[in-house]
Amino acid sequence: HADGPPFINHLGLRHTHHGIPPAAYRYAGRALLQTLAETLGPAFTPDVEQAWQKLFDCLTSAMMSG
């Protein structure tokens, strides 16, 4: 079933087609959070980190369900 918007589902299908394993999403999420922390510095508060983590989790969940 497809839980996300069509463009997110399509993005997930493209990742699957290119052989991106589900575990790679976890590494990408870590890299994203680290990059944000380095870029935003003190503005990257625990609340901001939590919001980004939730967004990334929702996005990857929708991509993998497509």
Side-chain angles (χ1 to χ4, degrees), residues 1 14 19-20 30 36 40-41 43 46 55 59-60 63 65-66:
H1 74 283
R14 286 192 353 222
I20 307 298
R30 287 183 191 160
L36 289 168
L40 297 176
L55 173 65
L59 176 64
T60 56
M63 287 174 63
S65 72

Side-chain angles (χ1 to χ4, degrees), residues 32-54:
L32 172 65
L33 291 177
Q34 183 172 346
T35 300
L36 289 168
E38 292 172 5
T39 303
L40 297 176
F44 193 67
T45 65
D47 287 341
V48 172
E49 180 178 7
Q50 184 179 15
W52 274 101
Q53 184 65 59
K54 284 183 179 181

Side-chain angles (χ1 to χ4, degrees), residues 1-4 8-13 15-16 20-26 56-66:
H1 74 283
D3 291 333
I8 299 297
N9 295 325
H10 180 69
L11 183 61
L13 290 172
H15 277 69
T16 300
I20 307 298
Y25 292 104
R26 181 181 49 211
F56 190 80
D57 290 346
C58 288
L59 176 64
T60 56
S61 178
M63 287 174 63
M64 289 190 285
S65 72

